[in-house]
Amino acid sequence: MSINILGIESSCDDTSAAVIRDRQLLSNIIANQEVHKNYGGVVPELASRAHQQNIIPVVDMALKQAGLTSADIHAIAFTRGPGLLGSLLVGTSFVKGFALSRGIPMIDINHLQAHVLVHFLETAEKTHTPDFPFLCLLVSGGHTQLIVVRDHLEMEIIGNTIDDAAGEAFDKCAKVMGLPYPGGPVIDKLAKDGDPGRFQFNKPKLSKYDYSFSGLKTSFLYFLRDSMKKDQDFILKNQNDLAASLQQAIIDILYTKLILAAEETGIREIALAGGVSANSGLRSRLQEEAMLRNWIIHIPEFRFTTDNAAMIAITGYYKYRAGQFATEDITPRARMFF
Ligand code: KG4
Ligand code: ZN
């Protein structure tokens, strides 16, 4: 029998609902919260309020687009964490009500695991999935991790950031340049017409597979401050080269450790995941490295890079098959590991 799963994502500033039938995607609705743009970052209180407003219409649309009603859903999967507690609470409360009223099981999902498992969704555009074990570089606004994925529900984090995440580095440096939030996509766009070799910034020297981005951020900030002393319009005049050089530095940091991990583990199957994997430079670099190193690579479709409920639903599918359900007293978790 086929299983219809409704997925709910509300960990940060996107309210999303998706429906899958087994691994096949039927719908994936995302409501972005424009309200944070004016504040240069996500305001937790405004995020939970927007989730409250969005969640019912978003679920309604996801069911409609899938051609189903709530009576057709066999289980509901939701992000338990990590994320903003107030935002997670909105999703969890909604899911408890839905599950109770329909008499169906709830499945609690780790948001990070879900970013990785997005590669197993079956869509019109994509049919092949990674073979185990594979290495996943998970890069988002909150996380930068190197993960060995041994099975759908068996993952080991072998590298982590010791300070900022890669997405944070993009966003914070963009803010220093006076660009809007989130800065990652804006830097990506500006970088397309810039010279990535024009400016050099500090790169960390950390042991093994760990990451650090705070040194790069500070070096970027000091460089801009010193340059602006000489020329007030320095940023404006050099926007494209600054964006391209910054993006290049972040990509170099990420790939140095990914290449080391691939060499030392002997894993040649490599995947990208998370919001920063939307970055065009990061994506094309993976293709270049794959040619050089004989890697088999998996790059997510753009629509599945940033937060979405399709990834929650597909993770729910594997947990459903493993019989891993949540109990009624489940609570969200701001911090969560595998
Ligand atoms: O995975 P995600 O939607 O949310 C978290 O779980 O954090 O990732 C959001 C992050 C933000 O930092 C945003 O700037 C970054 O992903 N991002 C990008 C691009 N698109 C989104 N960074 C660089 N280039 C992009 N094209
Ligand atoms: Zn995310």
Side-chain angles (χ1 to χ4, degrees), residues 111 115 140 307 311:
H111 180 89
H115 268 300
S140 73
D307 291 347
M311 67 186 198

Side-chain angles (χ1 to χ4, degrees), residues 39-329:
Y39 298 91
V42 177
V43 184
E45 182 52 35
L46 295 180
S48 37
R49 228 179 289 166
H51 282 304
Q52 269 168 345
Q53 285 166 355
N54 292 341
I55 196 150
I56 291 176
V58 162
V59 169
D60 210 43
M61 273 172 78
L63 286 169
K64 276 207 184 88
Q65 211 178 83
L68 302 177
T69 70
S70 56
D72 300 312
I73 299 298
H74 298 110
I76 181 162
F78 67 100
T79 307
R80 185 185 188 196
L84 300 171
L85 204 55
S87 295
L88 292 164
L89 262 170
V90 177
T92 312
S93 313
F94 172 84
V95 167
K96 284 187 181 182
F98 191 99
L100 199 68
S101 68
R102 302 279 355 137
I104 57 169
M106 296 182 286
I107 308 170
D108 55 305
I109 303 295
N110 179 318
H111 180 89
L112 304 176
Q113 199 169 26
H115 268 300
V116 177
L117 291 183
V118 83
H119 288 283
F120 293 90
L121 270 174
E122 203 179 282
T123 67
E125 291 80 12
K126 178 174 170 296
T127 44
H128 80 294
T129 57
D131 284 331
F132 299 114
F134 67 92
L135 254 180
C136 185
L137 173 64
L138 170 57
V139 270
S140 73
H143 297 86
T144 302
Q145 297 176 328
L146 270 172
I147 303 168
V148 176
V149 188
R150 298 205 171 83
D151 206 341
H152 297 107
L153 303 177
E154 202 192 319
M155 303 184 188
E156 184 193 349
I157 299 169
I158 58 167
N160 221 328
T161 178
I162 60 162
D163 41 54
D164 290 346
E168 253 178 310
F170 272 108
D171 296 341
K172 286 180 177 172
C173 291
K175 195 172 175 180
V176 175
M177 286 175 68
L179 301 172
Y181 176 86
V186 189
I187 295 280
D188 192 355
K189 212 165 158 203
L190 287 171
K192 290 202 166 89
D193 299 313
D195 172 5
R198 169 100 185 274
F199 306 113
Q200 309 293 324
F201 307 109
N202 270 4
K203 301 219 178 95
K205 290 185 184 66
L206 283 182
S207 63
K208 240 5 198 184
Y209 310 132
D210 282 341
Y211 287 110
S212 167
F213 290 97
S214 70
L216 168 68
K217 185 187 64 192
T218 313
S219 128
F220 188 74
L221 180 72
Y222 286 174
F223 173 70
L224 288 190
R225 195 192 55 187
D226 294 346
S227 306
M228 298 244 313
K229 275 186 197 150
K230 292 174 215 143
D231 178 2
Q232 272 293 315
D233 296 328
F234 180 80
I235 297 181
L236 213 61
K237 284 182 190 158
N238 298 284
Q239 251 189 352
N240 297 94
D241 289 348
L242 282 168
S245 303
L246 172 70
Q247 180 168 300
Q248 186 64 47
I250 295 174
I251 292 173
D252 283 346
I253 293 172
L254 291 171
Y255 276 91
T256 305
K257 296 301 172 91
L258 177 61
I259 291 165
L260 183 70
E263 278 170 0
E264 292 188 355
T265 59
I267 299 174
R268 284 180 33 247
E269 190 112 1
I270 314 285
L272 295 181
V276 180
S277 70
N279 185 270
S280 54
L282 194 81
R283 294 164 86 91
S284 56
R285 175 77 176 266
L286 189 65
Q287 274 154 348
E288 288 162 25
E289 297 293 346
M291 299 271 277
L292 270 175
R293 299 169 199 283
N294 215 7
W295 284 350
I296 300 155
I297 56 170
H298 303 273
I299 301 176
E301 286 175 45
F302 274 111
R303 59 187 173 140
F304 300 134
T305 53
T306 47
D307 291 347
N308 64 86
M311 67 186 198
I312 305 302
I314 187 71
T315 310
Y317 169 75
Y318 289 108
K319 289 192 82 169
Y320 185 100
R321 288 206 335 190
Q324 295 178 14
F325 299 106
T327 51
E328 276 170 27
D329 57 354

